[in-house]
Amino acid sequence: MKDALHELLENALDRLRRDGVLGAPAPDFVIERTRSREHGDFACNVAMLLAKQAGKKPRDLATAIVAALPANPLVAKVEIAGPGFINFFLSDAAWHEEIRRVLREGAHYGHGKSGAGRAVGVEFVSANPTGPLHVGHARAAAIGDTLSRLFSATGWKVYREYYYNDAGAQIQNLALSVQARAKGIEPEDPRWPADGYRGDYIRDVAKEYVAGASIDAGGERITAKRDPDDLDAVRRFSVAWLRREQDADLRAFGVEFDVYFLESSLYTDAKVQQVVDRIGAEEHSYEADGALWLRATEFGDDKDRVMRKSDGTYTYFVPDVAYHLSKWERGYKRAITELGADHHGSLARVRAGLQALGIGIPKDWPEYVLHQMVTVVKGGAEVKISKRAGSYVTLRDLIDMAGLDATRYFLIARKSDSQLVFDIDLARAQTNDNPVYYVQYAHARVCSVQRQMHERSIVFEQRDALKHLDRLDSDHARDVMVEISRFPEIVEAAAENREPHLLAQYLRELAGAFHVWYNAEQFLVDDEAQRNARVALAYATRQVLANGLAMLGVSAPQTM
C-alpha cells in the first residue's frame, strides 16, 4: 500500500515539475501509518520537505500536490493536516485488494525483493567449543536465525556463519580439564587446573577419550588416542566432542549453518600476520613500549590499540579483523555479526582495523547486533544451575523446560539490546498471557473453523468470497484487514533495522485483532455471501500468521 501511495505522489510531483511549480527531484519523503484513524490511514511529509524549494508555504504546496494527484480507487479521500501533512484515507477496496493478494500469494505473502539477490553473511552464536551452549547462546541463536530468515524473505542470498574460537587460553583450559578427569583428578583436588571447567560434561568427554571413542564433527572423524598425557590429542578430541554436542543442540533448536570458520585457520594460513603487515604497509601502525599499535584514533576509536604485545602474541581483536576481512573477500555486501553486549568494546577497534587495511571497506561495515543477558525464572525464583553444565542454564535446559516454540518466541520477543527475563511458568502456560500460545491459538482457531465446515459439509467458494468482500463491513473485520496489510512492511523493517522482535510483536497484535473479531461475529452463518467473505478473511489471517511464525522458526499448530 505504501508503494501504491508513493507512486501516486511521484506522479503528482512530476506533474508539478512539468507545470514549473517544482524544480529538482524531491528528496526521499516518508509515508507512515497514522497513529489515529481520524487522521487517515497514511500520512506523508513531502510538502514540508519541498516547500522552501518551491517558495511556498508547506500547506499551500500540499494543496497543490493533492490537486495534482491522479484518481485512484484505493484512495477514498485526501486531507491536509497540521503544518502540511498529506493524510490519505483508504477505501474499503484497498483493504479488500490486500486480502485478495494474501490468498493469491499464499506462503510468499510478505516476501520482498529489496535484497536483489545480494550476499549477506549472518554470523551468530560463535561459541567457544568449551562447554554446552548457555542461555546467552540460545538468545543469539534465536536472533541470528530469525534475522537470516527475514533477510531471505526480503530477497537476500543468506549465508549463516559460525566462527569457532578453537584457539587460545580457553581451549587450553578445556584440554587440561579433560586431561585431569582422564587421570582421575577431581575438581576438589589441589592438582585440578586453576581455571579448569567443572561441569559434568568434562567427565563425559574424559570417559569417551579414555575409551578410544570416535567423534564425527566438522566434516572429519577424530578418534581418541586414550593417552591422557598426550595433551594435543586430548585437545583435538575435546574440541570435536563439544562441537558435536553444540551442533546437535542447535539442530534441536531448528538452527543450521552454511559456513563453519575456524579461528585456528587464521594462524595456520598466516592471515593474522598478513593483516598486521598490510596495516603496517598503509602506515597505520607504530611501535611503542615494545608493542605494535594500531592508529585506531584515525578511524574514530577513542584511543590507539595494541595489536601485538611485547611478548609477541596478538591481542584478541586482531584475528577478528582477519576474520572479517575474509568475509569481505568472500563477497558479503552486507555482514551482520551478532554478539553478546559484553563484546561492545571491541566493535570500534575491529572496524578501525578494517579501515586501516586501505581496501575500501565502508566504515560502518560490518553491522553489529548486540544482545543483553537472559535471566531464567521458574516459580518466581531465578534458575542458575544446570545439572550438566554446572554453573549455568543451557540451551537444552530451556527447550526441555519450556518447549521449542516457546523458547524461540520468548528469546525473540524483546528488543535484543534489552535484558530479558525468561519466565518458564509463563512459557508453559496455556493462557492468553502467554504470547506464543496466544498467537498459535489464533491460527488453530481458523483451522477449527475449517474442520467445522467439513463436518457440516459447507463448501468454501473462494471465487464467490472475493466478489463479496464488501460484506466485511464491521469495525472488527476492518481492524483485522488493516493489521494484515502491515505484514510486508513489518518484515521489511525487521530485516532492514535488524530488529526481529518487531515481527514477534506484530504477530501478537494481529492475533489480538483476530481474537476480538472471532469473539464478536459468527463465521458460519446461513448467508452464503457473508459466510464466504468472513471465511476468506479468516483464511487470510491464518496465512499471515503461518508466514510470520515460519520466519520466527515457530510452528503453526492446527489444534491446541
Side-chain angles (χ1 to χ4, degrees):
M1 289 187 176
K2 281 188 177 182
D3 290 342
L5 294 177
H6 198 282
E7 184 176 350
L8 287 176
L9 285 165
E10 288 288 5
N11 288 337
L13 297 175
D14 286 343
R15 178 176 173 181
L16 293 179
R17 278 192 286 271
R18 290 194 301 270
D19 293 344
V21 177
L22 294 175
D28 290 338
F29 54 86
V30 176
I31 299 173
E32 294 183 320
R33 290 180 183 263
T34 60
R35 294 184 179 179
S36 173
R37 190 170 295 168
E38 65 186 32
H39 297 137
D41 297 297
F42 291 90
C44 181
N45 66 343
V46 65
M48 289 177 284
L49 295 177
L50 290 174
K52 185 175 181 180
Q53 176 202 116
K56 292 178 175 290
K57 293 180 180 179
R59 283 188 67 94
D60 292 341
L61 181 57
T63 300
I65 293 172
V66 170
L69 284 170
N72 189 291
L74 301 183
V75 179
K77 65 177 180 176
V78 184
E79 292 182 351
I80 299 166
F85 286 104
I86 299 174
N87 291 348
F88 292 88
F89 294 76
L90 299 191
S91 66
D92 291 340
W95 309 117
H96 301 161
E97 182 55 37
E98 200 69 13
I99 300 310
R100 292 186 181 93
R101 183 183 166 199
V102 175
L103 297 175
R104 180 173 65 249
E105 296 182 6
H108 295 289
Y109 180 75
H111 291 225
K113 299 180 180 179
S114 60
R118 291 171 292 171
V120 58
V122 184
E123 180 213 335
F124 56 106
V125 183
S126 295
N128 297 325
T130 55
L133 299 174
H134 55 60
V135 293
H137 298 134
R139 192 175 193 188
I143 293 169
D145 188 57
T146 302
L147 278 175
S148 298
R149 293 167 187 254
L150 287 165
F151 283 126
S152 181
T154 51
W156 292 83
K157 176 63 176 175
V158 180
Y159 297 90
R160 294 167 169 84
E161 188 149 331
Y162 194 117
Y163 179 59
Y164 271 113
N165 302 98
D166 64 335
Q170 291 177 312
I171 299 299
Q172 181 71 0
N173 289 334
L174 170 68
L176 291 172
S177 303
V178 174
Q179 181 185 58
R181 283 286 193 187
K183 292 182 175 182
I185 299 172
E186 298 290 328
E188 296 75 20
D189 193 303
R191 293 173 295 169
W192 184 259
D195 296 315
Y197 296 99
R198 296 168 173 261
D200 286 350
Y201 67 94
I202 295 294
R203 180 185 288 110
D204 297 335
V205 179
K207 182 178 179 181
E208 293 199 36
Y209 177 79
V210 173
S214 294
I215 300 295
D216 292 312
E220 62 178 328
R221 168 163 286 200
I222 303 294
T223 300
K225 288 190 174 181
R226 298 188 177 186
D227 180 5
D229 290 320
D230 190 337
L231 191 59
D232 284 339
V234 172
R235 180 186 299 106
R236 287 194 299 273
F237 181 84
S238 301
V239 168
W241 195 97
L242 283 160
R243 281 190 64 179
R244 183 191 65 181
E245 293 298 298
Q246 290 181 352
D247 289 349
D249 284 352
L250 288 167
R251 282 195 299 272
F253 199 45
V255 177
E256 294 191 7
F257 291 86
D258 304 298
V259 179
Y260 290 93
F261 195 103
L262 301 182
E263 180 187 2
S264 58
S265 71
L266 296 171
Y267 296 95
T268 57
D269 297 340
K271 296 298 184 182
V272 176
Q273 185 60 50
Q274 290 171 21
V275 160
V276 173
D277 291 345
R278 174 76 189 190
I279 292 174
E282 294 291 318
E283 300 183 352
H284 294 309
S285 64
Y286 61 91
E287 298 270 1
D289 302 323
L292 181 67
W293 295 71
L294 168 67
R295 299 183 191 274
T297 51
E298 295 180 355
F299 304 99
D301 202 354
D302 58 349
K303 62 182 179 180
D304 291 345
R305 304 291 180 175
V306 174
M307 291 195 297
R308 188 175 61 229
K309 295 181 284 188
S310 57
D311 63 3
T313 60
Y314 297 108
T315 53
Y316 70 92
F317 86 92
V318 181
D320 282 350
V321 174
Y323 170 49
H324 282 89
L325 172 60
S326 82
K327 295 182 183 181
W328 179 260
E329 293 173 338
R330 283 181 273 147
Y332 291 169
K333 298 300 182 184
R334 192 173 183 185
I336 314 295
T337 301
E338 204 285 340
L339 296 168
D342 56 325
H343 291 272
H344 182 271
S346 68
L347 311 188
R349 64 198 73 170
V350 171
R351 283 176 170 166
L354 291 167
Q355 296 288 299
L357 295 171
I359 59 175
I361 297 178
K363 63 181 181 180
D364 58 352
W365 193 99
E367 302 167 58
Y368 288 97
V369 177
L370 302 180
H371 70 263
Q372 284 285 359
M373 293 176 56
V374 179
T375 300
V376 181
V377 174
K378 185 177 182 183
E382 183 177 352
V383 181
K384 295 183 178 181
I385 303 298
S386 164
K387 292 181 180 179
R388 184 160 172 248
S391 59
Y392 57 85
V393 178
T394 69
L395 167 59
R396 178 66 68 174
D397 293 332
L398 274 186
I399 296 174
D400 289 345
M401 288 188 288
L404 174 60
D405 286 342
T407 299
R408 286 194 64 121
Y409 189 99
F410 272 54
L411 292 173
I412 284 292
R414 286 182 61 83
K415 193 173 182 180
S416 60
D417 60 3
S418 300
Q419 292 196 354
L420 173 66
V421 175
F422 193 117
D423 189 330
I424 297 295
D425 298 322
L426 178 60
R428 292 171 60 89
Q430 294 190 359
T431 68
N432 290 342
D433 293 329
N434 178 352
V436 67
Y437 176 86
Y438 190 64
V439 173
Q440 289 179 318
Y441 185 42
H443 183 274
R445 270 184 151 175
V446 181
C447 295
S448 174
V449 170
Q450 188 174 31
R451 286 193 299 273
Q452 292 176 48
M453 292 173 64
H454 178 73
E455 292 167 359
R456 293 162 59 177
S457 299
I458 297 175
V459 177
F460 170 59
E461 296 288 352
Q462 181 167 306
R463 182 176 298 180
D464 179 73
L466 298 182
K467 295 177 182 178
H468 294 97
L469 293 179
D470 59 323
R471 303 294 295 274
L472 299 170
D473 53 3
S474 71
D475 287 342
H476 296 314
R478 188 180 190 277
D479 289 341
V480 175
M481 289 187 283
V482 171
E483 285 297 328
I484 284 175
S485 73
R486 293 176 56 219
F487 183 57
E489 301 164 28
I490 293 294
V491 173
E492 185 70 34
E496 180 59 29
N497 300 323
R498 308 179 304 282
E499 295 184 333
H501 73 284
L502 295 176
L503 178 57
Q505 292 177 355
Y506 163 78
L507 291 175
R508 190 172 186 179
E509 290 163 4
L510 173 59
F514 174 79
H515 286 308
V516 170
W517 176 50
Y518 182 93
N519 293 331
E521 297 183 359
Q522 291 290 322
F523 289 4
L524 304 184
V525 294
D526 293 335
D527 185 325
E528 185 177 9
Q530 182 84 74
R531 182 178 68 237
N532 281 333
R534 289 176 179 173
V535 171
L537 179 55
Y539 283 6
T541 306
R542 178 179 62 181
Q543 185 67 66
V544 174
L545 289 170
N547 292 2
L549 287 168
M551 292 177 193
L552 295 181
V554 175
S555 71
Q558 296 186 11
T559 59
M560 293 185 69

